[in-house]
Amino acid sequence: MKQAQSDSCRASLHFQPASRHHRLASQEFFYIQMEKYARQSIGEGCKHPDDLNVTTDSELYRVLNLHYNRNNQIEVPESFRMVVQATLREFYKSIVANKDSEPSWKKSIYKVIARLDDTLPEYFKSPNWMDQLGDM
């Protein structure tokens, strides 16, 4: 099996609670990366979505972790890797099926991935959550 050069995940990526605008921009970054890496995999000759495997060493995983967890202060849950992989595969399938020519082609992907979202831990909801990291 070919290891995907790209990975991503939305669940557990929201490490920094912020305004609605910031959260939407964060989600958009995630989806831009997913589309980019799915297209790259297709261009590299990937023939099946199950061949796209995201590991913690994958370029996509590292790009996302660097963006959302710059100082590596938070232990990234395994579910993040799984969501990134599932999202990458969904983008791949949609692009291969030429659904990206439709105006709202990403909506069906968002619905699938939304089911994989994790609940945000309570400590992230505190305005001083970064101060609590040392206590964890």
Side-chain angles (χ1 to χ4, degrees):
M1 272 194 200
K2 176 183 174 184
Q3 178 179 333
Q5 304 240 329
S6 53
D7 339 87
S8 171
C9 175
R10 186 173 92 136
S12 309
L13 279 185
H14 307 294
F15 295 143
Q16 300 176 356
S19 69
R20 176 171 161 67
H21 173 73
H22 182 261
R23 283 191 309 271
L24 291 175
S26 264
Q27 287 177 350
E28 187 61 22
F29 176 82
F30 177 83
Y31 288 120
I32 287 170
Q33 296 306 306
M34 292 298 114
E35 181 177 353
K36 172 185 166 185
Y37 282 94
R39 290 186 188 282
Q40 179 179 325
S41 296
I42 293 165
E44 291 173 355
C46 181
K47 299 294 181 200
H48 197 275
D50 290 341
D51 292 339
L52 298 173
N53 296 300
V54 175
T55 68
T56 56
D57 294 326
S58 299
E59 180 184 348
L60 177 57
Y61 184 95
R62 288 192 310 261
V63 165
L64 293 171
N65 189 43
L66 180 63
H67 181 79
Y68 294 108
N69 190 16
R70 282 189 177 91
N71 297 325
N72 276 328
Q73 291 182 290
I74 299 166
E75 185 177 334
V76 181
E78 173 64 12
S79 60
F80 176 77
R81 185 191 66 77
M82 299 304 295
V83 172
V84 170
Q85 181 172 288
T87 306
L88 180 62
R89 289 175 177 180
E90 288 298 320
F91 268 86
Y92 173 93
K93 289 187 280 189
S94 291
I95 294 167
V96 167
N98 207 27
K99 291 183 181 179
D100 58 332
S101 62
E102 301 169 11
S104 299
W105 70 281
K106 294 180 186 176
K107 284 187 179 184
S108 62
I109 296 172
Y110 299 159
K111 289 178 184 177
V112 170
I113 302 310
R115 291 184 223 130
L116 302 174
D117 274 349
D118 286 343
T119 304
L120 191 65
E122 285 300 316
Y123 60 87
F124 283 132
K125 296 176 184 176
S126 165
N128 301 321
W129 73 272
M130 295 266 316
D131 298 336
Q132 299 172 18
L133 287 177
D135 300 335
M136 300 177 95

